[in-house]
Each structure stands twice: as structure tokens, then as C-alpha cells.
């Protein structure tokens, strides 16, 4: 493509304004999202629509999440913190897809451990992170139901695929007061925030209706089981 001098900055600014109008209040989130070029994660054919508030296809039957939902989930995950910069040591992301949400999370954590079940997407997300020079996200090809490291403790878990019920054993790898943010349900899904309290008890809060791909068990080399 000839260099027209067009930088996407203006359309990205207008996306941030849309998020603000939709009720995203945490300026830390808006600031991070204003620094992540979303078009990088998409095929060039989709670049003209890259900053619209909609999910878009990224092949293998998957999508890049809608900017509003990325903003909302990040806002919920960090809501109990109030400083700027890296408020968390370690966050687990399940269903990292092309890595857009991972890039946003990288602003808030020393380390992001991301798991994705479709092999070529893992490769793609690694390439996307190196294009953006983000080096605190580690992508793992695996199944988010089980392939996380049970010896680590997380300051938060964000999952971008919808299980029928939330996987209860994820609570065991959360630190106290940390949250699991994820969609739960089948044809009808709700955004859930599950906070770990004293004695491994949990507090569950249900938010808006959402529409995510299902959280599927196992892994695939080519996405053919989706
Ligand atoms: N986070 C992405 C959205 C990806 S869509 C973004 O920023 O745009 C959800 C992803 O979850 C898909 O790539 C899908 O393959 C993945 N997924 C579904 N079930 C999974 C599982 N059990 N473990 C890991 N990833 C899973």
C-alpha cells in the first residue's frame, strides 16, 4: 500500500470517544486502548473498519473482541486497584485469539500468561506482539480448562470464551481479592465477575448479556473442530 500519511490516530481517538460515551470511565483503560493499534491484528481488508466498535473475523471461525467488551472486562478486572501503571504482577488470559486483549492487559501487568486452543492463532498473536514490541505476554498453545500452571497465583483471570458454568478450579489459582472476569452461558450469556474472598469463598456479580464464542475443551492444530 502506498504511504498516504494516514496513521489511524484519528479513527482510534474517535473509538476512545465512543467507549467514553458508552460508559467506560477508567481513564487508565482508555489510555491503554488509545495506545494499541487494533488494525495490526486484522487482515488489511478489514483495516477501514478496524476502529469501529464491533467484533471482526480473524479466521479459524474466531473474532477479535469488540473494543467495548475489551474495555469493560479490563475495567472490571482492575477496578479494585487505583494506582497507574502496572497494578498487577501476573494475569492469566484464556482465549487470547489474535492477542488484542493481551496487548491491552500488558499495560497493567508485569506478566501476562495467555492460553489459546487454536495453534495458528498462537503463532499469529506472538507475531503481533513482536510487531508492537510488547514483551511481557507469554502465549501458550493449550486448553484453558486445564493447561495452566497450578503452582502460580494470579492477580486476575480474564477469559474471552464462554463456558456453560465457570471452571471452579480457576479459583484455586487466584490470589485473595483477585477476580475472574468471563462470559458464562450457552445461547444466552452473561458477563460474570467472580471475586475470591476469605477461605476460598467467592462473590459473584452478573453484568450485561454478552455474545462470545463457546469455551471448547481440548486443542486443535487448524481450528477444524470449531
Ligand atoms: N481475546 C481475543 C478474543 C478471542 S475470541 C481478542 O482480544 O480479540 C475467543 C478465543 O477463545 C478464540 O480464539 C478461541 O479459540 C478461544 N478458546 C475457546 N475455548 C478455549 C479454551 N478452552 N482454551 C483456550 N482458548 C479457548
Amino acid at each position: 500500500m502506498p504511504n498516504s500519511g494516514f496513521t489511524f490516530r484519528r479513527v482510534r481517538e474517535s473509538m476512545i470517544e465512543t467507549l467514553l460515551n458508552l460508559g467506560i470511565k477508567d481513564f487508565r483503560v482508555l489510555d491503554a486502548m488509545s495506545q494499541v493499534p487494533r488494525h495490526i491484528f486484522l487482515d488489511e481488508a478489514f483495516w477501514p473498519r478496524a476502529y469501529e466498535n464491533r467484533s471482526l473475523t480473524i479466521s479459524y471461525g474466531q473474532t477479535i473482541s469488540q473494543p467495548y467488551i475489551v474495555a469493560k472486562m479490563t475495567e472490571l478486572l482492575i477496578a479494585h486497584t487505583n494506582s497507574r501503571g502496572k497494578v498487577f504482577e501476573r494475569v492469566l488470559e484464556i482465549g487470547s485469539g489474535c492477542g488484542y486483549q493481551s496487548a491491552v492487559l500488558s499495560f497493567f501487568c508485569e506478566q501476562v500468561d495467555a492460553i489459546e486452543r487454536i495453534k495458528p492463532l498462537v503463532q499469529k498473536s506472538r507475531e503481533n506482539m513482536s510487531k508492537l514490541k510488547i514483551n511481557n505476554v507469554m502465549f501458550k498453545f493449550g486448553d484453558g480448562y486445564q493447561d495452566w500452571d497450578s503452582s502460580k497465583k494470579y492477580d486476575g483471570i480474564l477469559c474471552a470464551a464462554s463456558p456453560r458454568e465457570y471452571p471452579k478450579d480457576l479459583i484455586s489459582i487466584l490470589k485473595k481479592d483477585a477476580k475472574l472476569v468471563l462470559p458464562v452461558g450457552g445461547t444466552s450469556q452473561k458477563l460474570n465477575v467472580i471475586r475470591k474472598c476469605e477461605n476460598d469463598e467467592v462473590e459473584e456479580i452478573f453484568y450485561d448479556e454478552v455474545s462470545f464464542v463457546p469455551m471448547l475443551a481440548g486443542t486443535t492444530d487448524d481450528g477444524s473442530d470449531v
Side-chain angles (χ1 to χ4, degrees):
M1 195 188 263
N3 183 358
S4 62
F6 183 71
T7 61
F8 289 101
R9 193 164 50 84
R10 253 205 214 137
V11 276
R12 194 149 73 234
E13 279 166 9
S14 101
M15 180 187 86
I16 299 300
E17 214 172 293
T18 304
L19 296 176
L20 198 56
N21 291 336
L22 289 171
I24 301 299
K25 295 187 188 73
D26 193 325
F27 273 76
R28 296 173 297 172
V29 175
L30 295 168
D31 186 36
M33 288 184 67
S34 73
Q35 293 180 63
V36 179
R38 190 168 182 253
H39 64 280
I40 292 292
F41 297 84
L42 296 163
D43 285 343
E44 236 170 278
F46 287 108
W47 283 13
R49 314 187 68 180
Y51 295 94
E52 291 177 13
N53 185 32
R54 52 165 59 232
S55 57
L56 293 163
T57 180
I58 52 167
S59 63
Y60 309 101
Q62 305 305 318
T63 53
I64 183 170
S65 294
Q66 188 191 20
Y68 172 74
I69 212 77
V70 170
K72 187 71 196 171
M73 290 175 88
T74 311
E75 189 173 70
L76 291 168
L77 194 78
I78 67 169
H80 58 292
T81 69
N82 44 34
S83 50
R84 294 188 74 97
K86 304 215 188 253
V87 290
F88 292 146
E89 260 168 54
R90 196 176 278 277
V91 161
L92 176 66
E93 186 194 7
I94 297 173
S96 44
C98 59
Y100 178 63
Q101 171 79 73
S102 329
V104 174
L105 285 173
S106 75
F107 283 75
F108 300 99
C109 325
E110 297 293 343
Q111 179 67 40
V112 181
D113 291 344
I115 304 183
E116 169 55 52
R117 71 181 294 279
I118 300 179
K119 198 174 198 175
L121 286 179
V122 176
Q123 185 51 33
K124 204 154 184 195
S125 54
R126 285 183 184 137
E127 287 163 16
N128 288 336
M129 287 314 105
S130 46
K131 275 187 213 156
L132 298 178
K133 302 194 168 37
I134 292 175
N135 48 27
N136 61 336
V137 184
M138 206 180 64
F139 293 98
K140 179 175 182 173
F141 171 47
D143 173 6
Y145 279 111
Q146 57 182 38
D147 291 335
W148 27 266
D149 181 349
S150 59
S151 69
K152 287 182 182 162
K153 286 275 187 272
Y154 288 94
D155 297 290
I157 303 176
L158 195 155
C159 174
S162 186
R164 295 283 175 154
E165 288 175 10
Y166 80 84
K168 304 283 182 292
D169 43 1
L170 286 175
I171 303 304
S172 68
I173 53 168
L174 275 181
K175 292 182 188 169
K176 185 176 159 294
D177 288 329
K179 296 172 193 158
L180 164 62
V181 178
L182 84 172
V184 178
T187 45
S188 157
Q189 306 168 4
K190 274 213 157 76
L191 193 56
N192 282 217
V193 175
I194 297 147
R195 185 173 66 91
K196 182 165 176 169
C197 313
E198 295 288 351
N199 308 322
D200 285 2
E201 281 173 21
V202 293
E203 173 198 73
E204 298 179 30
I205 303 179
F206 310 110
Y207 287 84
D208 309 353
E209 287 271 340
V210 284
S211 175
F212 281 82
V213 296
M215 183 163 170
L216 302 176
T219 58
T220 165
D221 283 346
D222 55 8
S224 58
D225 68 345
V226 172

